[in-house]
Structure formats: structure tokens, C-alpha cells
Amino acid sequence: SDPQARTLESLKLRGIDVNTERVVSLSADLTKPGFGVEPQLLQGVNLVIHNAWSVNFNMGVGSFENQLQGARNLIDLSFRANARYFFVSSVSAAVRAGSPITESHLKQLTDAQEMGYARSKLVAERLCQLAHEAGLDARVLRVGQIVGDTRLGQWNDTEAIPLMIRSAVSMGALPALGDTLTWLPIDVVAKVIVEACQSPQHQDVYHVVNPRSFNWTRDLLPMLQAAGLSFEQVTAQEWLQRLTVSNPDPAVNPTIKLLDFFKGKYAVPKTGPAVFYETKLTESISPTLQSVGAPDAALVDKMVTYWTRECWK
């Protein structure tokens, strides 16, 4: 009902101080062709960054119809305004495309991870591809795992990985995974996206993932312990078993909400090398991505401090 106040509240919550005179917030419905806003407000648009999607790993692809309709409406607006359109997608849309995964459009809709979220992102990527073939400057930003910011370490505690890490407190255990992590802090992701939008060089697809990786068990788990978490390292299958029989009340044990998701991901031990996403082209237009390092103990400590003080009370 008061979008400007909501924006200010959100920024204040995250310790962000901006010149709000430059920001106009609107109440809108992306499923409507005109978004339910005054037509004059849409005049002069020259760049659209579509960065809104339901992050729910339990929903089927059909549940994302409103998000896909919103993408189509924003593409239509971009055509009418001759604006550039950047769609914020996900690496999960390409995870089954083989490795390495190039910074380009995908040939098969089966390349997406087998969940509605990833499949809907790939459908929207296909809309971008078709719009580009029809003459629109439409591009895809395929973003990897976003983590807490470099200043305060704020990472939404309801996301999958923070929910898993919380089980260190609720169950006293974390799984020893072989996962290779290409995490990027949210403020770094924002800078890379801005650099992509400002680059005169056209590119169909950008990979906004960290070129410098680290390992879940070898690197992250010791960092979590150094940050003050005390837990037992167990196999992924043992961790899933403990989660299955843990407190079913999500208010006390919120990790339980993603039990089916975690089972689908970790019930069968992984084999083979990690999926590698090429970033060479994105690095060529983004000094930020080119120079970023892997997340370190200082960042992990900030994230754990944020969760324990603000979220896990």
C-alpha cells in the first residue's frame, strides 16, 4: 500500500543508506500488461532488470505461471520502449547441460534442474532468446549461489543453505559434502550486474558465479566452527536420517521444511566432477568478477554472527 515506505524499511533493515530521491517505488502487478500503473510512469524506460521470482523449491513449474507472464509483459514493454531487457536467471536452469557450461543459450529444456523453480527460469531464458531473435536487446544473467554481503554478512535465513547450516544448532550436526562452492556476496553480485548493464559489449548470457571456488567440507565447515558453531560432521545420508526423525515443528526446526528437497539432492551419493560454469566472457566486462576472491573466514564469521544475533533467537 505504501511502496516507498516499504523500500525505505527494507534498505534500513540492511544498513543501506542511499539517496532515496533518486528512487521511485511503485505498487504494481506484473501479470497485467500495463502492470496496473499510470501509463506515463512507463515512458522513457531504457533498461529493464527483471529481478523478481518466487524462490520456492517445492513448487512445480506450473505454479510459476504468474512469474512467466510477468516476464512476457516486461519483454513486451521493452519492445515498445526500445529498452534493453536483462533477466536474472539461475545456474540451476543449466545444471544438466553438461560441463563446462558455456555463456550461451541452452539447446534443451531438459538442461534445467528437475524442479519447478529451475525449469521456470529456463522457460524465461527461452523467452529472452526468442525476443532477441525478434530484434530486442534481451540478455540473461545466470546467477549462482548468492550469500551474505561483505559488510554485514546478511543472508536470508529462510533459504536452503542457511536452513541447512542452522541444523548445526538444532541437530548438532552438518553433512560432509563434496560440493564445490562458487558463492558470491550479494553486493558483489549487484556490482557485476551493473557492470554488465553498463557494458557497450552485447552478450546473450552472463554467468554471475565466482570464478574462485572452495570446498564445503574442506573449507566451509572449518570456517563455520571457527565462527563459533559446534557440530558433528556426518555423512549426507546420516544427516538426512537425523533430519527425518528430528522435531517436525518448523517453528522450532525450520530445516524440516526442506526435507524433501534435501532428500532429492543428497539421498544418493554424488559421483563425478562438479559442474563448471564458464565466466571468461563475463569477467571480460566485469572488473569486479575478475578480481573477486573465494569467500573467506571473515565473511563466514559475519554471516554466522548475523544469523545467531538476528535470526536464530
Side-chain angles (χ1 to χ4, degrees):
S1 59
D2 191 340
Q4 193 75 1
R6 179 68 186 86
T7 301
L8 292 175
E9 176 192 347
S10 181
L11 293 170
K12 184 178 179 181
L13 189 66
R14 289 159 181 82
I16 299 172
D17 183 24
V18 298
N19 178 4
T20 51
E21 293 179 2
R22 298 177 57 227
V23 179
V24 177
S25 302
L26 307 173
S27 291
D29 182 349
L30 295 186
T31 65
K32 297 179 180 178
F35 313 117
V37 303
E38 295 294 329
Q40 64 265 26
L41 293 173
L42 301 177
Q43 293 177 0
V45 172
N46 60 13
L47 171 65
V48 174
I49 303 173
H50 186 182
N51 185 31
W53 216 255
S54 290
V55 183
N56 188 323
F57 296 158
N58 294 324
M59 299 195 313
V61 68
S63 302
F64 290 86
E65 185 65 33
N66 284 344
Q67 278 74 35
L68 292 165
Q69 184 62 60
R72 174 58 197 266
N73 289 338
L74 286 167
I75 286 171
D76 288 345
L77 167 67
S78 301
F79 266 115
R80 291 194 302 271
N82 194 28
R84 292 175 298 141
Y85 176 75
F86 284 74
F87 174 68
V88 178
S89 185
S90 165
V91 293
S92 65
V95 74
R96 300 173 73 219
S99 187
I101 297 172
T102 60
E103 295 161 280
S104 59
H105 284 297
L106 302 168
K107 293 182 172 61
Q108 306 293 333
L109 287 174
T110 51
D111 289 337
Q113 190 173 341
E114 292 179 294
M115 61 178 177
Y117 172 82
R119 287 169 166 165
S120 67
K121 288 283 194 177
L122 184 49
V123 171
E125 285 194 18
R126 187 61 58 87
L127 290 177
C128 288
Q129 183 179 0
L130 295 171
H132 179 62
E133 291 171 1
L136 183 69
D137 187 350
R139 316 186 201 183
V140 170
L141 295 150
R142 213 173 269 151
V143 179
Q145 181 60 60
I146 301 172
V147 304
D149 67 285
T150 57
R151 194 165 60 91
L152 299 174
Q154 295 190 340
W155 184 356
N156 186 347
D157 67 308
T158 63
E159 291 183 23
I161 292 172
L163 282 176
M164 175 181 275
I165 294 173
R166 180 166 182 169
S167 71
V169 176
S170 57
M171 300 195 313
L174 282 179
L177 307 173
D179 292 5
T180 299
L181 310 174
T182 54
W183 293 357
L184 278 178
I186 180 64
D187 47 336
V188 175
V189 170
K191 288 178 183 176
V192 174
I193 290 176
V194 168
E195 288 166 354
C197 292
Q198 291 179 339
S199 172
Q201 179 182 324
H202 176 86
Q203 191 172 310
D204 289 339
V205 177
Y206 303 83
H207 280 167
V208 188
V209 301
N210 199 326
R212 264 64 65 180
S213 63
F214 69 132
N215 180 271
W216 174 279
T217 300
R218 216 170 37 245
D219 302 313
L220 178 64
L221 293 188
M223 291 180 190
L224 291 173
Q225 289 173 327
L229 296 184
S230 178
F231 54 88
E232 181 185 358
Q233 285 189 38
V234 298
T235 66
Q237 291 68 44
E238 170 66 18
W239 182 80
L240 284 171
Q241 179 58 32
R242 293 191 187 190
L243 180 60
T244 302
V245 299
S246 64
N247 192 327
D249 183 0
V252 179
N253 180 28
T255 313
I256 199 75
K257 291 186 288 187
L258 287 184
L259 176 61
D260 290 341
F261 169 74
F262 288 133
K263 280 184 175 178
K265 196 167 184 183
Y266 298 116
V268 178
K270 285 185 182 178
T271 58
V275 176
F276 175 73
Y277 293 84
E278 293 184 350
T279 58
K280 186 176 180 181
L281 296 176
T282 308
E283 286 184 75
S284 72
I285 57 89
S286 171
T288 298
L289 193 65
Q290 199 175 67
S291 62
V292 72
D296 57 17
L299 177 64
V300 173
D301 184 75
K302 288 176 184 175
M303 295 190 298
V304 171
T305 299
Y306 168 69
W307 289 325
T308 52
R309 288 182 180 173
E310 303 295 333
C311 309
W312 296 351
K313 295 176 182 178

